[in-house]
Amino acid sequence: MRRALLIAMTLVLLPACTDDGPPDVTAPEREPIVYVAVGASETVGHGLAEPEEQAWPRLFLRTLPDDTRFTSVGVSGAKVATALQQQAGPAVDAQPTLVTVWLNVNDIAGFVAVETYEQQLRDLVRRLRRNGEATVLVANTPALDKLPALARFRLPASLVNTTVDRYNVVIKRVVDAERAVLVDLHSASLRARAEGKEASYVGPDGFHPSAAGHEAAAAEFAAAYRATAAVASR
């Protein structure tokens, strides 16, 4: 009697088996990331020997899953206003889930009022987020006061720094208001200065990033994206 009872309990506790085999525990397939890069000459890779390989969006792409779909709509010389006109439409049409934006230096060089810049950047980021469907990484402005190209104009460093700081304040404000993600290139550039690497990040024209500068920028975008993904997964 005892043996029969033990056999019955064992059969009850054993997992049910069918002719169909074990239950399917395969995780649902992940949709590929659709990544669009919005920006100016930095995004295009102006001045690089092989921009298709060396430009920072291409380097950032290598940190993403292999099935990521990538498009760059960057245009050399673009300001935020021209990006709204020329890049936002194609970017949104691609239905991105990830967008990078690096647009500030041309606006500064073009003397765009900071209030105008803020409103235009807000409009751009809002469109690119697609009602929360896309994560938008927005870069602020690196330190520019020691760029050789600017030194030719003999601009006071204090004026350059004040302008950059004002732009970066509104970039942070837009990022917070539109629930985007800040990529702090300014802090990264100051770290590079302290480490004696700043000059190596500037290309031969004294203005655009070198290959090493693109690598450093890509690393900052990748770090910001990883941090965002980590928070989202909690």
Side-chain angles (χ1 to χ4, degrees), residues 22-28:
D24 184 7
V25 293
T26 304

Side-chain angles (χ1 to χ4, degrees), residues 13-173:
L13 293 174
L14 284 174
C17 295
T18 68
D19 293 338
D20 296 329
D24 184 7
V25 293
T26 304
E29 289 189 9
R30 173 188 55 79
E31 289 294 325
I33 295 171
V34 180
Y35 166 37
V36 177
V38 172
S41 53
E42 302 90 351
T43 298
V44 172
H46 180 86
L48 292 172
E50 298 180 72
E52 289 293 319
E53 297 293 329
Q54 297 173 299
W56 70 263
R58 298 282 181 171
L59 302 178
F60 172 51
L61 177 64
R62 294 177 191 172
T63 70
L64 302 175
D66 292 340
D67 61 350
T68 298
R69 302 168 187 169
F70 171 66
T71 304
S72 177
V73 295
V75 177
S76 291
K79 300 182 180 71
V80 173
T82 51
L84 275 167
Q85 296 169 359
Q86 301 173 10
Q87 300 181 43
V92 172
D93 288 345
Q95 297 186 324
T97 55
L98 173 62
V99 184
T100 56
V101 179
W102 185 357
L103 287 164
N104 39 54
V105 177
N106 289 330
D107 288 83
I108 291 174
F111 303 104
V112 176
V114 69
E115 297 82 6
T116 302
Y117 174 82
E118 179 176 8
Q119 185 56 58
Q120 291 171 342
L121 183 63
R122 187 185 296 267
D123 292 345
L124 178 64
V125 173
R126 183 176 296 147
R127 288 183 63 182
L128 295 175
R129 282 199 72 236
R130 300 174 54 234
N131 294 319
E133 293 294 321
T135 298
V136 181
L137 309 180
V138 183
N140 64 7
T141 317
L144 304 177
D145 55 307
K146 293 193 176 182
L147 280 180
L150 291 184
R152 299 171 198 149
F153 297 96
R154 298 181 180 179
L155 295 173
S158 59
L159 175 61
V160 175
N161 290 334
T162 297
T163 304
V164 167
D165 288 346
R166 291 184 67 201
Y167 264 68
N168 285 346
V169 166
V170 301
I171 290 170
K172 179 65 164 59
R173 195 152 60 210

Side-chain angles (χ1 to χ4, degrees), residues 208-229:
H208 292 94
S210 64
H214 278 270
E215 290 176 4
E220 293 301 317
F221 275 89
Y225 185 59
R226 282 196 303 270
T228 301

